[in-house]
Amino acid sequence: MAHQARPIRIGLQIAQYGAEWAAFLDAARQAEAIGADALFNWDHFFGPRDSEAPSFECWTTLTAWAAATSRITLGPLVSCIGYRNPDLLADMARTVDHAAGGRMLLGVGSGFKERDYVEYGYPFGSVADRVNDLETGVERIRERLARLNPPPLGPMPLLIAGSGERRTLRLVARHADIWHTFADGDAFVRKSKILDAHCAEIGRDPAQIERSVLVGGDPEATGPELLAQGITFFIVGVRDLNLEPVRDWVRWRDKHNSRFQLS
């Protein structure tokens, strides 16, 4: 078996709905204390299946988490490109990066929840329209980040989510530091090979792009196969602010990374 190309990282996604504000701040502190590498929220205005559960906005939550923590990487999984002017989004990400002391990771995607768009007055359009917005938005974000004064505190990793083989994966190949996908099994393997091919077309080493997926359950049961497929960033979906599954994945990370460092 080939050595893994990079250390395993464990993140968690806490979707900011269904609890009191203080509980979200406490969960962020707990995630850092457990030793998770990254903490994400989401960019939806309503709970799962459009529930009416109490909910908080993505970027203002990230700013509060920046003040409540000191080590853990922070970011949205993912910020919908259609909800904010891309230049403004770059400025927001830069500002949170300063608030967090350089710990910001910018995740973006094309969006898909129609109710979010309709209730907040954004044009929903077609899938192609939203991918167009993502393509032009990523370019504008890159340009704005290069012009901001002051700039981000360091290189701000860009995560792009999506699996569209013709356009989204080509965008990932050009711009992303991290590719996040909901594809799994044979579908993931196929799409990963397509991403590699897009990288070859532009002369980029595909190993520069970290692979990321959402996970749950027993890491010993599912982690090794995902790792063998080239995934090294495992993001635990947290439900009801129960962080015990994150502890399990952090322990699994530490065991495997100790082998990686010795190899």
Side-chain angles (χ1 to χ4, degrees):
M1 177 179 175
H3 294 302
Q4 64 194 69
R6 62 175 77 230
I8 293 169
R9 294 203 291 168
I10 302 299
L12 68 155
Q13 183 188 46
I14 297 176
Q16 64 281 10
Y17 72 91
E20 297 292 329
W21 178 250
F24 291 117
L25 293 183
D26 186 58
R29 297 185 188 103
Q30 288 184 51
E32 183 165 82
I34 288 169
D37 297 289
L39 171 61
F40 299 92
N41 62 1
W42 73 359
D43 194 16
H44 296 300
F45 305 126
F46 304 94
R49 296 174 295 280
D50 294 335
S51 78
E52 299 295 338
S55 184
F56 293 105
E57 192 274 332
C58 170
W59 281 90
T60 39
T61 300
L62 287 171
T63 304
W65 281 354
T69 60
S70 61
R71 180 197 59 80
I72 197 167
T73 296
L74 302 171
L77 192 66
V78 287
S79 190
C80 177
I81 201 68
Y83 297 166
R84 301 165 190 87
N85 174 290
D87 292 79
L88 173 62
L89 180 60
D91 203 339
M92 293 164 62
R94 179 279 310 259
T95 301
V96 176
D97 187 59
H98 278 259
R103 294 181 284 128
M104 183 66 201
L105 185 162
L106 177 54
V108 294
S110 58
F112 65 94
K113 291 196 73 173
E114 185 172 6
R115 186 186 178 192
D116 285 352
Y117 282 83
V118 171
E119 293 232 10
Y120 277 67
Y122 303 117
F124 186 57
S126 66
V127 173
D129 291 333
R130 297 194 297 278
V131 175
N132 287 341
D133 290 343
L134 183 62
E135 288 176 337
T136 58
V138 167
E139 295 281 358
R140 288 175 59 183
I141 287 167
R142 288 291 199 195
E143 292 173 4
R144 179 57 57 183
L145 286 173
R147 295 167 58 190
L148 287 170
N149 182 20
L153 290 174
M156 185 186 301
L158 177 66
L159 177 153
I160 297 177
S163 299
E165 296 175 4
R166 185 175 64 88
R167 298 179 64 187
T168 303
L169 291 183
R170 196 179 299 275
L171 187 68
V172 171
R174 289 201 310 269
H175 292 291
D177 302 291
I178 305 163
W179 170 45
H180 183 80
T181 176
F182 295 100
D184 57 12
D186 292 341
F188 173 83
V189 173
R190 184 185 74 254
K191 290 176 185 293
S192 188
K193 289 179 179 177
I194 291 169
L195 175 57
D196 291 350
H198 288 320
C199 287
E201 290 174 5
I202 61 173
R204 186 179 184 191
D205 182 357
Q208 294 178 344
I209 303 173
E210 190 172 19
R211 269 68 166 174
S212 164
V213 295
L214 284 171
V215 294
D218 181 6
E220 296 291 351
T222 59
E225 180 179 355
L226 295 172
L227 189 61
Q229 294 172 354
I231 297 163
T232 55
F233 201 173
F234 301 87
I235 301 174
V236 183
V238 169
R239 297 293 176 264
D240 300 321
L241 300 185
N242 175 17
L243 272 59
E244 284 307 309
V246 182
R247 297 181 191 275
D248 294 337
W249 282 89
V250 166
R251 284 192 289 266
W252 178 78
R253 174 202 68 189
D254 291 346
K255 180 175 69 174
H256 281 266
N257 280 351
S258 64
R259 297 174 184 171
F260 172 76
Q261 291 163 1
L262 292 172
S263 62

